[in-house]
Amino acid sequence: MSDEVERGSARVPVQYHQFNISDEDGPTGPDLDRGHNGLVQVTDGVTIVLTGIHTGDVDVTVTLHASEPVPGDGDWQDIVEISAHSASGDLMVRGLMDDLDEELPVLSFSGPGDYRLRIHVRGRDAAADLAPDEVTEWYLIQAWPAPAAPVTALRHSDGYGMSVRAH
């Protein structure tokens, strides 16, 4: 039996190798350096997902869960878990400079509080540092209510993440 509450997919605009997860009413967590895990950083209270492409669109699927799910199946290259706080209950995936054409489900689906985000990626090496016209990167973000916990890297296997961790 699945504890999945909701699912949604959309193309998310990327600029400068990133898209954001943020809550407009407060910080999502303490600062975390980009070299820590190569996929997710937190700067000035905003959770930033680091992409291989410089500019373009990535495919993002969000799944919301009542309790901790198993990691997504498939050929995910990097998987990182991070805690995020939502002050307003409006923790969302957002573009850096552009809005999403179609909004993804709100990650803080149980209202204000603490959540765990498990971020999966594949394809960051395909067009690293480029601005492709077609989608070359896919992300899965699983979210569930959970107390704050340390960042955990479950898998590191793409070259782009390795280069980020080295700098």
Side-chain angles (χ1 to χ4, degrees), residues 71-95:
D73 55 3
D75 55 350
W76 301 108
Q77 295 171 310
D78 278 27
I79 304 173
V80 172
E81 285 185 11
I82 188 167
S83 292
H85 181 77
S86 177
S88 69
D90 195 30
L91 183 68
M92 297 180 65
V93 173
R94 305 172 198 274

Side-chain angles (χ1 to χ4, degrees), residues 37-39 74-80 121-125 153-163 165:
N37 60 69
L39 178 58
D75 55 350
W76 301 108
Q77 295 171 310
D78 278 27
I79 304 173
V80 172
V121 63
R122 70 173 172 261
R124 287 196 300 176
D125 294 339
L154 302 177
R155 184 178 304 157
H156 285 309
S157 66
D158 72 13
Y160 186 78
M162 184 172 59
S163 70
R165 288 186 299 279

Side-chain angles (χ1 to χ4, degrees), residues 128-145:
D129 299 324
L130 301 177
D133 292 329
E134 300 296 321
V135 170
T136 60
E137 296 180 33
W138 292 265
Y139 294 80
L140 168 63
I141 302 173
Q142 296 172 311
W144 65 96

Side-chain angles (χ1 to χ4, degrees), residues 21-46:
I21 298 171
S22 63
D23 184 315
E24 293 183 356
D25 285 352
T28 61
D31 283 0
L32 175 70
D33 182 84
R34 62 183 268 131
H36 177 275
N37 60 69
L39 178 58
V40 184
Q41 76 179 63
V42 181
T43 302
D44 296 330
V46 174

Side-chain angles (χ1 to χ4, degrees), residues 13-16 18 20 94-99:
V14 167
Q15 287 91 16
Y16 300 103
Q18 62 188 284
N20 297 336
R94 305 172 198 274
L96 179 64
M97 293 187 279
D98 293 322
D99 292 331

